[in-house]
Structure formats: structure tokens, C-alpha cells
Amino acid sequence: MSDKSATSLDKVLDHVDADLDAAMARLMTLLRVPSISTDPAYDADVARAAHMLAEDLASLGFDASVRETTGHPMVVAHGPDEGPHVLFYGHYDVQPVDPLELWHRDPFDPAIEEQNGKKVIRGRGAADDKGQLMTFVEACRAWKAVTGKLPAKITIFLEGEEESGSPSLVPFLEAHADELKAEVAFICDTGLFASGVPAIVTQLRGMLQEEITVTGPSIDLHSGMFGGIAMNPIRVLSKVLAGLHDDTGAVTVPGFYDGVPDIPDDLRDSWDALGFNAEAFLGPVGLSHPAGEAGRTGLEMIWSRPTAEVNGIWGGYTGAGFKTVLPSEAHAKISFRLVAGQDPLRLRENFRDWVQAQMPPDCSVSFTGHGASPAGQMDTSHPIFEMTRQALSDEWPKEAAYIGCGGSIPVAGYFKTVLGMDSVLAGFGNDDDAIHSPNEKYNVESFHRGIRSWVRVLGGLAEG
Amino acid sequence: MSDKSATSLDKVLDHVDADLDAAMARLMTLLRVPSISTDPAYDADVARAAHMLAEDLASLGFDASVRETTGHPMVVAHGPDEGPHVLFYGHYDVQPVDPLELWHRDPFDPAIEEQNGKKVIRGRGAADDKGQLMTFVEACRAWKAVTGKLPAKITIFLEGEEESGSPSLVPFLEAHADELKAEVAFICDTGLFASGVPAIVTQLRGMLQEEITVTGPSIDLHSGMFGGIAMNPIRVLSKVLAGLHDDTGAVTVPGFYDGVPDIPDDLRDSWDALGFNAEAFLGPVGLSHPAGEAGRTGLEMIWSRPTAEVNGIWGGYTGAGFKTVLPSEAHAKISFRLVAGQDPLRLRENFRDWVQAQMPPDCSVSFTGHGASPAGQMDTSHPIFEMTRQALSDEWPKEAAYIGCGGSIPVAGYFKTVLGMDSVLAGFGNDDDAIHSPNEKYNVESFHRGIRSWVRVLGGLAEG
């Protein structure tokens, strides 16, 4: 590392420390926008968040624009053409906030609070993903403030549909491949392996989302008049869902495990070395027993094994009191976490055929397909991977590790399939951030060290 | 039948025909009150309906009053002390109206419409039970208008909690046994056996209502981070519900069929003689296959066999789009239709023990008990039963039959257990009335012949 860049790196890091309060204030402004992408009622707010970010990036010297799609807009911002070209990806949309009554404060009135002796930024999107994407934006801001320029050719690409299946993403990548393709992509939407232990995710589970509706009688019926002689669609739906797993916890959909590999011994060894403790992982959410496939380790269950989960179910009378109705319809939202080797679209057909075959006389089933994305497996040979791992190790108390991730970050897969580009997945979330849950938070330490981590990574890029 | 009463009977019947439009207008006024007893939001409307009825009955010479309870009020109206004492029961509360979007018109803006070539009164409560209870009130009004008095000692008892488990009923009956006990009770909350075929119900199924909540993780979880290692309460609930019935359609709760008798051969023969056609019964609601216990007839399934039905289920994300959440809780409302020989409270314990025993590690279950009432079996030896059957046969095209009923009319059971009084269950609903469903209606013919039927019954009482 040359003296000059070393000096400027230290200056930029100092600037980040001095500017932290202002950076948090900027994040708060973004968190106040209820950019819930899955609910059309919030479309205007999603657009507002996009324009807010584009204006901020323009102020940093980016050629920034809000690009319309058939869904929510994309934000694309190109820095000056100097040094290696990298793409940064984040998403500015957020999850719904229900059940609202479980929030301690308005999800969109963020505040700095104290939790378990640590300062946290509380609010929907604080961790997923507004707080994380802003760590990179603030790192750029700091380099610009101290050195007057950005240390590499940076393209920032922000999506507004990540929490609603990314319907516009692939068409947009295909239509703008030339301007978006870079040496690598940085994606900041993941977490630390553990408190103080940074990580780069090199394998991600994919996702298949299905909504099913079982229909029995043509109208809701009175269970006194028809109970016993009329088929109840809730009974049929329950039977289907109860059969999704066998007694060993394995998923029963035909062909579900076709092509699913066991992890290589060396990766298994390195994962074992992380000392993951399932009970310690589950304890904070009130659980203690790993509920996955018998004979698999906790990390396999969340990183390298596919799953089936019912994310929502509804039918009949769900209000106050009681209504003795036999409903006409019963519904469920079901998602599958997929691993390398599984084809989402083939599994969608297998699943639909499997459900269809279970319909008794007098019941029909209809399907609505939501997201479908393959698992992601990174080729870590590009030197930027190791440079980033070193930068993270320099910033955080512990050495950075290459790990897996149970979540789906479809964009990483599309960057590979559409743009032929691997992604460096580095993020700073903690397991207790309660993303997708009430009272989501992001540790101030994650925000602060996150910015400093990107400052170091950009410094590494400057050295080429 | 003496000439005098014959004359007056004919005069009263003629009066009913001449007054029909006014009678329907009076019913409409009552139907406009949204007296939904299961939802506290409508408490004031329930009370309003009670006062409206008490005032109307007072205008007919009844000593009528609205009696407060810890829940919704009762209406009690005593006629002059002359002739045999009979109690009439009906309920003025109604079912909720969701799903509202399936109604063709405002459920509480009733109107006369044409359906399948017949005039019908459309609106929530038209058949269940405001339209039916008004058939008796109008019969009293006609006798009073023509003869200047009521033909027997009539006590009218109207409940406002029938659709919400009747929590106040038994305490009220116990506290007011002296004034409510009569020779028999008339209950008008049932239907014709078939169009034009009147019926008196002599056996009713009882009811047990349970609400269960399965709790897994202490908060909603992200299915990416926790999917595969955390137990999903919807999965557990689905398994419980799927196990409620075995492959033959029998209910699996331990001891469920203890003490459940097969029907006597003579009753089976008379039921067979009714020529019930399951396909014809199911066809109008889009079904064709009897879904009950293998080897049972359609009438057994709905009249003499107990059932288990899921009336409502909910958990996780049920809004627009998709949310990959592992919910903390999953809920279901379950009801059991019971027959003679089954003890609701013992079955409640059996059910709870059976569910509890199915909870895996990390899941707990809690229960909320709703209604619980035994099945009813009438002793038809009192002459009023046969007199009523004759009166119905005189009014309708076909002979009246003694039948069973799949529904629960708990009050009939309580009249017997608390007041030692049998009930004559005579009503005029049709299977296509869509009670408890959108677009509930009551045929104008049912309303008209219903009034005339009660006029004949009251005439019969006058003769002693």
C-alpha cells in the first residue's frame, strides 16, 4: 500500500468518524419514506425514495437517474470513468410492517435507541436494506469530501422491487447490460457471520414462491346445514400442507432433491470451524431445537439444504367471535428455499402437479406464481474477492470468512446469468436485526464500521 | 273444530293475505338494523333491534320488555293469561356479512327481488332469523286485529346472542324459569324439508366450538435466515387439522364416537321414504360428492352423525404480494357438530389433550372455548306436536314430516335441561336461503305461508 493512498485512506476514515452523526441523519431521512414495494398503496412512496437517492448521488458527482420500469423504478448512477469498474447493488424498498401492533414505535419514524447495551437505529428498512446501501453511499461521500474524487469507476444500481419478487430486474439487466456489466458487483444485503465477525457470502439459496387457492363449494356454507356432507377446502389445504414434509423433515415434492449436492468436505470443515451453535442461534427467538432434516448440521439447514415453508394461510372466518361457516375457498402462500442444482421452474411444475393430484372430488386448485430464482454460487478467483476479505479483516475485530447464506438474493444469480459477473456479497447485519419482523433495527456499529469497511475496499480498488 | 273458530280462523287467514305487503314492510324495517352479535362494533345496533321488537309487541297488547344481560339483551313479552301457555322463541341477531364484496346489494338495505322465478326478501337476517320470527309476530298481529285478542297465553322470548354462542342464555333461563316455562316451546329457526314440504324437527345436532393458537418462535422470522432450522407453527397447525379425519372421513379425536347411537330402523325407514338425493342437495352449491363418513347416507351425514369442521384458519402474511416470513403464531377456529350421546365438555377436554399431545419441541398451543351445547332429542308425545303437524299439513301443499336437523339450536336443548320443556321446531326456510353466506334471502312464500301456518297453530291452541 503506497504512503499517499495510506495517508488519504486514514484521512477518509477519520472523516467518516467525524461525519457519523450527519450520516445517520441522512439515513433517517430515507427511513421515513414507507417504500413498501409489495403493496400498491405505497407506490408513490417507493418512487419518492428513488428520487431522493438519485438526487443525493448526483450531489456526489454521479451521473444519476431514476429509470422507469413496468414496476417500481431503478436508480442508476455512474461515477467518472477512472480505475477499475465495479457495480454496487442495494435495494431501497422495504418489507410490509404488519403486525403493526407489535412495533414499539412507528416503523417509519426511526430513532436511535439502546438495545442490550448497544446503540441501534430502529425502523423498517434500517437493516434491510436502506441502512446497508447507505454504508456504501457514505463511503463514496467520504472519499469525495477528502480527496475531491471517487477512487474508482463506480456504478451504483439500486432496486425498488427486491421485497416483491423483482419482476422488472431481469428485463432491465438485459436492456442495460453494457452500462451495468463491471469487473465484479458488490452487494450489501447480507450480515456478519457473528457479532464482530465479518463475512463474504459465496453461496446463496434461491427461491420459489407459490400462492395456492383451493376451492370447494361455490359459496360459503352453513356448517349446520352442510357440515358432514360438503367438502371443506380448509381440510383439503391442511392435508396438502401437512404432507409437504415427511417424518424426517425432508420435503416430499417429487424430484425436489434431484441434483442437490452434499457440500465438499473442505467447505464442511471450514463451516464446522466457525463453531456455529444451533441452540445459541435459536435461543434469541424463543426456540431450541433445529427443525430441519434429520442428520444435518444447523449450518447445512440454513445454508446448503433446500426448504419448504408456508409463509401465510387464510380461509373462512378469522374475525372476532365465531362463525360456523364452511368456506368456499382456502389459501396459502408457500415458498421454497433452493440450493445449487435445483431448477426453480421445473420445481414449480412438480409442485403444482403434486398439489393438483391431491384434490378430491368437488375441489379444484389454482396457482399464482410469485418469485422464482436459482441459488447462487460465486467464483471467488477474481482478486477483488481476496482484497475485500482483507479490507473487512482490517476493519473488524475478527478475520473475515467465506460463508453461505440461507436467504435469497436473486440479483446475485442474475448478475451471473445475465451479465456474466460474480458478486462480492458483503454486509454488516446481525441475526437480531429482526428484518421482516416488527422492531427492525441496525446496529450503529454496523453502520459505522460498514462505511469504514467500504472506504477501505474503495481504497484497495484505487491501488488496482 | 267449532263453527265459530272456523269462521274466525278463515277471517284471520284472509286478513293475513290482505296485510302481506304491510307485514313485509315491517320486516324490512327490522332487517335494516345490522344486529351482528359476534362483533362488538355492532353492540348498539343489536340493542336497537331489541327495543324495536319490544315496542312492536307492546302495541299488540303484550307486556313486553327489554331485559339486560352481561351480553346482548333479551326481549320477553307476555300476552294475557288465557288458554294454554306456550313460549315462542326466535333470535333477532344476525351473522357477520363478510365477504362483503360477494353481496349483490348492501346486506342491510333489504329488497324484494326475483330469484329463479320466485319472489324473495333479500338481506342479512331475512331467513336467519328475523324473517322467521316475524312470521309468528305477524300471526299474533292478525289474530289481534280480527278477534281483538290473542287466542292463547303466549310468551314471546327473543334472543340477541344466538349467532355468538348464547353466553347469557342459560343464566337467563335459570333466573327466569317461572315466567318462561310453558307447556311447550315453539322455535322458528329451521327449514322446510323441501320446497312445499313442511317439517317439524325432532332431533338437532349440538355444537362444540374451539379456537386454537399454535405458537413457535417468539417473533416473526425471516425464512431466509431461519428457514429450515426454525419450526413453523403453520406447519404444525396444518398437521393437526389434517389429522382430524381419517381416510374414511371419520373424526379421529379419541372417544369422539363414544355413546353415539345408530338411528332406529323405523326412523331410518321414514328418512329413506323422504327420498333425499345427495347430488340434488349438493348441486346448487357446486358440489356433487357426499364428503362424510364412508357407508353413511346423506341424511345421516347431516342429521345423525357428528362432524369436525375448520371454520377459519389464519397465520403469517395474508396480504397482497408475498412476504417470506416464518410466523410466530398460527390460528384456527374449529367446530364439532354433536349428536345425542356426546358430552360437549368431555369432548372439549379430549380434543385439547389430543392437540396438546401433537405439539413438537418449540411449539406450544393455547385454546379459547366458544360455544358448547348438547344435541337435542324431542319427546313428541304432547298433543301440541301432532296438532302443529296437522296445521302445517293444512297450510302447505304436502304433508308435514318429523325430521332431523344438522344445525345446532342450543336453546332447544336448554329449554329441556333448564325448563323441562320440549320444543316444537317448525320453520319455513329453504336450502338455497344462503344463511351465513352472502346474498341471504327468504322466500316471500315462506314468509306468507309461515304467517298463515302460525295462524292455524294458534287457532288449534284456542280449541285447547
Side-chain angles (χ1 to χ4, degrees):
Chain A
M1 192 182 279
S2 76
D3 294 345
K4 175 183 160 304
S5 66
T7 322
S8 47
L9 174 61
D10 295 337
K11 284 187 187 150
V12 179
L13 291 171
D14 293 343
H15 180 85
V16 169
D17 300 344
D19 193 46
L20 181 62
D21 289 347
M24 288 198 287
R26 287 185 288 267
L27 171 58
M28 298 283 190
T29 305
L30 183 60
L31 292 177
R32 287 191 192 92
V33 184
S35 50
I36 300 171
S37 60
T38 200
D39 185 342
Y42 296 89
D43 286 358
D45 297 299
V46 175
R48 188 152 56 91
H51 285 278
M52 189 179 287
L53 284 158
E55 284 162 27
D56 188 24
L57 292 170
S59 75
L60 301 182
F62 283 89
D63 174 7
S65 57
V66 173
R67 310 283 185 87
E68 294 309 322
T69 72
T70 56
H72 298 295
M74 309 282 185
V75 176
V76 179
H78 294 292
D81 188 352
E82 182 176 5
H85 185 201
V86 293
L87 181 78
F88 175 84
Y89 167 92
H91 66 89
Y92 63 85
D93 61 321
V94 299
Q95 277 277 313
V97 294
D98 55 284
L100 189 57
E101 63 275 16
L102 296 187
W103 284 79
H104 305 138
R105 62 181 297 116
D106 177 345
F108 298 109
D109 176 24
I112 306 298
E113 297 182 349
E114 185 137 326
Q115 179 172 313
N116 306 329
K118 289 185 171 175
K119 282 208 178 323
V120 304
I121 303 160
R122 176 94 55 205
R124 174 56 90 219
D128 183 16
D129 181 51
K130 289 171 173 175
Q132 298 236 72
L133 76 86
M134 286 303 291
T135 58
F136 190 88
V137 173
E138 293 297 340
C140 293
R141 194 189 314 276
W143 272 101
K144 176 83 173 181
V146 172
T147 68
K149 62 185 183 64
L150 300 169
K153 180 182 178 184
I154 299 165
T155 295
I156 293 180
F157 174 48
L158 307 176
E159 185 190 8
E161 296 179 328
E162 199 273 344
E163 303 292 5
S164 53
S166 298
S168 309
L169 182 60
V170 168
F172 192 86
L173 292 180
E174 286 167 341
H176 304 84
D178 294 346
E179 65 173 305
L180 296 175
K181 168 112 171 71
E183 292 192 34
V184 300
F186 291 107
I187 298 177
C188 192
D189 197 19
T190 53
L192 303 166
F193 171 71
S195 179
V197 186
I200 296 174
V201 173
T202 59
Q203 62 181 75
L204 288 149
R205 289 194 292 192
M207 171 81 88
L208 172 62
Q209 299 174 335
E210 284 279 285
E211 185 167 326
I212 75 177
T213 296
V214 175
T215 302
S218 54
I219 60 169
D220 288 359
L221 303 177
H222 179 195
S223 77
M225 190 181 299
F226 287 93
I229 193 169
M231 182 50 76
N232 182 336
I234 299 177
R235 173 174 158 191
V236 174
L237 178 62
S238 299
K239 203 144 191 204
V240 169
L241 300 180
L244 260 176
H245 301 84
D246 67 18
D247 295 343
T248 71
V251 178
T252 59
V253 176
F256 190 71
Y257 293 100
D258 292 355
V260 174
D262 270 342
I263 56 174
D265 292 346
D266 59 342
L267 188 59
R268 178 189 304 276
D269 295 345
S270 71
W271 285 2
D272 291 347
L274 290 168
F276 176 82
N277 179 308
E279 287 64 29
F281 178 74
L282 292 170
V285 298
L287 302 174
S288 60
H289 293 69
E293 296 167 82
R296 299 289 176 176
T297 69
L299 285 185
E300 283 182 287
M301 291 179 186
I302 57 176
W303 287 354
S304 66
R305 300 297 298 174
T307 70
E309 294 290 353
V310 183
N311 303 112
I313 187 167
W314 69 104
Y317 182 68
T318 61
F322 213 96
K323 183 175 172 182
T324 53
V325 62
L326 293 190
S328 172
E329 295 185 337
H331 314 262
K333 294 176 192 275
I334 301 160
S335 65
F336 301 87
R337 296 285 171 175
L338 308 179
V339 300
Q342 290 181 297
D343 174 355
L345 298 184
R346 214 194 69 238
L347 285 180
R348 169 167 279 158
E349 293 317 309
N350 292 4
F351 171 71
R352 292 182 175 188
D353 293 345
W354 176 77
V355 174
Q356 186 72 62
Q358 296 178 66
M359 289 301 110
D362 284 344
C363 282
S364 62
V365 59
S366 62
F367 302 88
T368 303
H370 291 271
S373 61
Q377 187 74 49
M378 298 304 142
D379 167 3
T380 60
S381 59
H382 192 294
I384 288 181
F385 276 85
E386 190 53 29
M387 179 276 285
T388 304
R389 202 186 65 77
Q390 190 54 56
L392 295 175
S393 302
D394 292 345
E395 175 58 32
W396 293 81
K398 299 270 180 62
E399 185 82 2
Y402 290 125
I403 66 171
C405 173
S408 300
I409 304 189
V411 65
Y414 296 131
F415 282 166
K416 192 151 191 172
T417 55
V418 180
L419 302 182
M421 172 173 62
D422 282 290
S423 298
V424 179
L425 292 139
F428 314 104
N430 284 276
D431 291 343
D432 65 352
D433 284 347
I435 62 172
H436 295 212
S437 297
N439 303 309
E440 177 178 356
K441 59 85 176 171
Y442 194 47
N443 288 3
V444 170
E445 180 195 30
S446 290
F447 187 63
H448 187 189
R449 285 193 193 270
I451 298 169
R452 288 174 54 95
S453 297
W454 290 122
V455 163
R456 293 178 186 276
V457 169
L458 293 177
L461 290 172
E463 297 166 33
Chain B
M1 192 180 275
S2 75
D3 293 346
K4 177 184 158 305
S5 67
T7 322
S8 48
L9 173 61
D10 295 337
K11 283 188 189 148
V12 178
L13 291 173
D14 292 343
H15 180 86
V16 169
D17 300 344
D19 193 48
L20 181 61
D21 289 346
M24 287 198 289
R26 287 185 286 267
L27 172 56
M28 298 283 188
T29 304
L30 183 59
L31 292 177
R32 288 191 190 93
V33 183
S35 48
I36 300 171
S37 60
T38 199
D39 186 342
Y42 295 89
D43 285 357
D45 297 300
V46 175
R48 188 154 53 91
H51 285 278
M52 189 179 289
L53 284 159
E55 285 160 28
D56 188 26
L57 292 170
S59 74
L60 301 182
F62 283 89
D63 173 9
S65 58
V66 173
R67 311 283 185 90
E68 294 309 321
T69 72
T70 55
H72 298 294
M74 309 284 184
V75 175
V76 179
H78 294 293
D81 188 351
E82 184 176 11
H85 185 201
V86 293
L87 181 78
F88 176 84
Y89 167 92
H91 65 89
Y92 63 85
D93 62 320
V94 300
Q95 277 276 314
V97 294
D98 57 282
L100 190 56
E101 63 274 16
L102 296 187
W103 284 78
H104 304 137
R105 64 182 295 116
D106 178 346
F108 297 110
D109 176 23
I112 306 298
E113 296 181 350
E114 186 137 323
Q115 181 172 311
N116 305 328
K118 290 185 170 176
K119 284 209 177 325
V120 303
I121 303 160
R122 176 94 55 205
R124 174 57 89 221
D128 184 16
D129 181 49
K130 290 171 174 174
Q132 300 236 70
L133 77 86
M134 286 304 290
T135 57
F136 190 88
V137 173
E138 293 298 338
C140 294
R141 192 188 315 276
W143 271 101
K144 175 85 173 180
V146 173
T147 69
K149 62 187 184 61
L150 298 170
K153 180 182 179 185
I154 299 165
T155 296
I156 293 179
F157 174 48
L158 305 176
E159 184 190 10
E161 296 179 328
E162 198 274 346
E163 302 293 5
S164 53
S166 298
S168 310
L169 182 61
V170 168
F172 191 86
L173 293 181
E174 287 167 342
H176 304 84
D178 294 345
E179 64 175 303
L180 296 176
K181 168 116 171 67
E183 292 192 34
V184 300
F186 292 106
I187 299 177
C188 190
D189 198 18
T190 53
L192 301 168
F193 171 70
S195 179
V197 186
I200 296 173
V201 173
T202 58
Q203 62 182 73
L204 287 151
R205 289 195 292 191
M207 170 82 88
L208 171 63
Q209 299 174 335
E210 284 280 285
E211 184 167 328
I212 75 177
T213 296
V214 176
T215 303
S218 55
I219 60 170
D220 287 359
L221 303 177
H222 180 193
S223 77
M225 189 181 299
F226 287 93
I229 193 168
M231 181 50 75
N232 183 337
I234 298 178
R235 173 174 158 191
V236 175
L237 178 62
S238 300
K239 202 144 195 211
V240 169
L241 300 181
L244 260 178
H245 301 84
D246 67 18
D247 295 342
T248 71
V251 177
T252 59
V253 175
F256 189 71
Y257 293 100
D258 292 356
V260 174
D262 270 340
I263 55 174
D265 291 345
D266 59 342
L267 188 59
R268 178 189 303 277
D269 295 344
S270 70
W271 286 1
D272 291 347
L274 289 168
F276 177 82
N277 178 308
E279 288 63 32
F281 178 73
L282 291 170
V285 297
L287 302 173
S288 59
H289 292 69
E293 296 166 83
R296 298 290 176 177
T297 68
L299 286 185
E300 282 182 288
M301 290 179 186
I302 55 177
W303 287 354
S304 66
R305 299 299 298 175
T307 69
E309 294 289 352
V310 184
N311 303 113
I313 187 167
W314 68 104
Y317 183 68
T318 61
F322 214 97
K323 183 174 175 183
T324 53
V325 62
L326 293 190
S328 172
E329 296 184 337
H331 313 263
K333 295 177 192 274
I334 300 159
S335 65
F336 301 87
R337 296 283 172 176
L338 308 180
V339 301
Q342 291 182 298
D343 173 357
L345 299 183
R346 213 194 71 238
L347 284 180
R348 168 166 279 156
E349 294 316 308
N350 291 4
F351 172 71
R352 292 181 175 189
D353 293 346
W354 176 77
V355 174
Q356 185 72 62
Q358 296 178 65
M359 289 301 110
D362 285 342
C363 281
S364 63
V365 60
S366 63
F367 301 88
T368 303
H370 291 270
S373 60
Q377 186 74 50
M378 297 306 142
D379 169 1
T380 60
S381 59
H382 192 294
I384 288 180
F385 276 86
E386 192 52 29
M387 179 275 287
T388 303
R389 202 186 65 76
Q390 190 54 55
L392 295 175
S393 302
D394 292 345
E395 173 61 31
W396 293 81
K398 300 273 182 60
E399 187 81 3
Y402 289 123
I403 67 171
C405 172
S408 299
I409 304 190
V411 66
Y414 297 132
F415 283 166
K416 190 151 191 172
T417 55
V418 180
L419 303 183
M421 171 171 61
D422 282 289
S423 299
V424 179
L425 292 140
F428 314 103
N430 283 277
D431 290 345
D432 64 352
D433 284 347
I435 62 171
H436 295 215
S437 297
N439 305 308
E440 177 179 355
K441 61 86 177 169
Y442 195 46
N443 289 5
V444 170
E445 179 195 29
S446 290
F447 187 62
H448 187 187
R449 285 193 193 268
I451 299 169
R452 289 174 54 95
S453 298
W454 290 124
V455 164
R456 293 178 186 276
V457 169
L458 293 177
L461 289 173
E463 299 164 35

